[in-house]
Amino acid sequence: ILLAALWLWRTLAPAPRDETLDSRASPARVAVAGIACGVGLIVLQGIVVVTGAAIDPGVRRAMDDPDNRVDLNLPAPALALSLVALVVLAPLGEEMLFRGLLLRGIWSRLGFGWGCALSSLAFGLAHLDPWFTGIWPRSIALVLVGVGLALVYRRWGYATAVAAHATVNAVAVIALLAA
């Protein structure tokens, strides 16, 4: 699948973007920019979910319900593999799919606004988890994270978007382990 995605990616027209952080940037600079953007996206996501819980008592009940907790009681090797999949592999693949292919493909035909909106909507729909915090605040938060990642991709490119996405996922994993 990755080879097919890479081939398809190469067939798309290059996405125009501000080259503020270009492909010659050091890996440390890419990582710092991605982590900073990821932290901002985490804050935005938290504001949306907390606001949703304040507005909708059903969301608050879903968040407080102990039956809605994810069980991470796995053997150590399976847990380690799951963590690598969530924090490393998922950001690599999802950024390739949602930003590298979907956003770029729509962007080249309909413009960045439509590409951003449609790829962010697809990102939010792909991450629905109605059993955890309720559908509506989490979906809005994930669509906004998709918009943020599209903007990061537009300005700084794939590697920085992957670093931002990995930061968001790492904080989610830490929150799951803490719960």
Side-chain angles (χ1 to χ4, degrees):
I1 292 172
L2 182 59
L3 291 176
L6 286 171
W7 175 81
L8 184 58
W9 187 351
R10 295 214 181 265
T11 66
L12 293 172
R17 69 173 167 261
D18 302 331
E19 292 295 337
T20 305
L21 184 63
D22 63 20
S23 58
R24 297 179 309 268
S26 72
R29 190 167 172 205
V30 168
V32 167
I35 291 167
C37 292
V39 168
L41 292 172
I42 292 162
V43 170
L44 176 65
Q45 194 173 23
I47 289 169
V48 171
V49 172
V50 168
T51 302
I55 293 170
D56 185 348
V59 172
R60 169 53 65 195
R61 281 192 299 276
M63 289 173 69
D64 292 338
D65 186 353
D67 292 335
N68 287 342
R69 303 284 183 238
V70 176
D71 182 16
L72 291 177
N73 191 13
L74 300 170
L79 182 60
L81 206 57
S82 296
L83 297 178
V84 168
L86 288 169
V87 178
V88 178
L89 300 178
L92 286 169
E94 289 180 8
E95 289 309 306
M96 173 73 72
L97 173 65
F98 292 108
R99 261 58 70 185
L101 296 175
L102 187 59
L103 169 65
R104 218 165 102 187
I106 298 169
W107 183 358
S108 67
R109 288 164 183 77
L110 302 175
F112 179 77
W114 280 106
C116 179
L118 294 174
S119 66
S120 298
L121 183 61
F123 180 79
L125 290 172
H127 290 83
L128 282 180
D129 60 349
W131 61 87
F132 186 59
T133 59
I135 291 176
W136 78 267
R138 182 86 171 126
S139 298
I140 292 169
L142 286 166
V143 169
L144 291 175
V145 167
V147 169
L149 290 170
L151 293 170
V152 169
Y153 178 83
R154 178 182 185 179
R155 179 152 181 123
W156 294 300
Y158 174 76
T160 308
V162 168
H165 194 148
T167 301
V168 171
N169 285 11
V171 170
V173 165
I174 291 167
L176 283 173
L177 290 173

